Amino acid sequence: NAGVTQTPKFRVLKTGQSMTLLCAQDMNHEYMYWYRQDPGMGLRLIHYSVGEGTTAKGEVPDGYNVSRLKKQNFLLGLESAAPSQTSVYFCASRRQANTEAFFGQGTRLTVV
Amino acid sequence: GESVGLHLPTLSVQEGDNSIINCAYSNSASDYFIWYKQESGKGPQFIIDIRSNMDKRQGQRVTVLLNKTVKHLSLQIAATQPGDSAVYFCAENSNTGFQKLVFGTGTRLLVSP
C-alpha cells in the first residue's frame, strides 16, 4: 500500500515551459487536492476534486489546470511556467468529507 | 531540507514542558478540523482531528480544543520531546458547497533538550 505518490520529486523548468505533475493514490479515495507551499505561507489550495471527472478551484488556481480522468490519479498542469510558480507542491487525498487527508512527499519545482 | 517555515511564528520550549499551539480559523461554516505535523522535507502528517459538535478531543500526548464562539483551535502537546520539533498546521473543512480543506499558516515548534 503506497498511499499517495507524487511524480516527479524534483524538477527544474525554464520560464515558458510546460509540465504535468502526477498524483496517484491507491486508497480508493474520492477527494483529491493540490497545494503549493512557499516559505512563510503555509499550504495554499490550488485545485481539488471531489470525485472522478470533477474539479474545482481553490485559493490560488491561476496559472494551473487539473484533470481527474481516473479516480486514482489527479494531474496538475502548468501550461507556461513562471518564476512565481517556484514552490513545493503537495498532493493529498481523503476518503470522504470530514476525514483525514493523506499527503504525498511533495514535488520541488524550480522555474528559472 | 526545504526552506519551508523561515518566517513562521515560532514556539520554543524545553523538553518535558507542555506546549500549546494556537490557530484562528476563518469560516464559521467549517465543521471539521485537523492538526498536522510537518517535518523538514516531508509531507504533512495527521496528528488529531475534531468535529464541530465537540469542544475537546484527546489522543496520545495531544489534546485539541475547539472554541467555536471565537473561531479558535488549539493543540496541546504534553511532555514535549525533541522529536516533536516540526511545523504544525491546523486545517479547516468547510461544509458549504464543495468540501474544501484549507490550511492555516503554521507554527514552528522548537524543543530544546
Side-chain angles (χ1 to χ4, degrees):
Chain A
N1 187 338
V4 179
T5 303
Q6 293 183 229
T7 309
K9 291 183 171 51
F10 302 93
R11 185 71 186 270
V12 178
L13 284 180
K14 293 182 179 179
T15 297
Q17 285 185 318
S18 64
M19 78 162 294
T20 300
L21 280 67
L22 170 64
C23 177
Q25 53 93 4
D26 61 1
M27 297 173 282
N28 200 35
H29 286 173
E30 290 294 333
Y31 293 14
M32 297 187 74
Y33 303 82
W34 274 109
Y35 296 88
R36 60 176 289 172
Q37 186 172 37
D38 305 312
M41 297 296 289
L43 286 86
R44 291 185 291 170
L45 181 63
I46 305 172
H47 286 281
Y48 62 109
S49 168
V50 298
E52 181 179 313
T54 73
T55 63
K57 293 181 180 180
E59 303 168 286
V60 289
D62 293 344
Y64 305 95
N65 56 75
V66 287
S67 64
R68 183 96 180 270
L69 298 179
K70 293 182 179 181
K71 186 177 182 179
Q72 64 267 33
N73 296 335
F74 195 28
L75 279 65
L76 178 70
L78 286 73
E79 290 188 350
S80 180
S84 61
Q85 294 178 304
T86 293
S87 189
V88 180
Y89 291 84
F90 286 101
C91 175
S93 73
R94 58 179 178 167
R95 181 169 49 87
Q96 61 186 40
N98 294 356
T99 59
E100 68 175 285
F102 294 83
F103 281 80
Q105 289 300 297
T107 296
R108 181 186 294 274
L109 175 66
T110 302
V111 184
V112 297
Chain B
E2 64 214 31
S3 59
V4 169
L6 284 178
H7 308 292
L8 293 174
T10 299
L11 174 65
S12 297
V13 301
Q14 294 288 321
E15 182 178 1
D17 287 351
N18 295 332
S19 302
I20 300 176
I21 300 171
N22 296 304
C23 176
Y25 64 93
S26 57
N27 189 349
S28 57
S30 294
D31 59 352
Y32 175 68
F33 305 86
I34 311 173
W35 278 101
Y36 281 92
K37 173 185 180 183
Q38 187 178 30
E39 297 173 309
S40 182
K42 297 183 179 180
Q45 182 179 14
F46 172 87
I47 302 173
I48 192 168
D49 59 2
I50 188 168
R51 302 188 188 283
S52 59
N53 61 353
M54 303 171 68
D55 297 322
K56 179 180 179 178
R57 190 169 189 215
Q58 289 184 293
Q60 188 176 17
R61 279 202 310 120
V62 294
T63 300
V64 55
L65 299 178
L66 174 62
N67 186 330
K68 296 181 287 294
T69 301
V70 295
K71 291 190 287 187
H72 183 267
L73 199 65
S74 68
L75 176 70
Q76 300 177 0
I77 304 174
T80 314
Q81 302 168 0
D84 294 327
S85 294
V87 178
Y88 290 80
F89 295 97
C90 66
E92 60 181 296
N93 181 98
S94 170
N95 66 355
T96 55
F98 284 139
Q99 297 286 335
K100 290 197 294 185
L101 186 62
V102 178
F103 280 72
T105 54
T107 298
R108 177 189 297 277
L109 176 65
L110 294 176
V111 183
S112 303

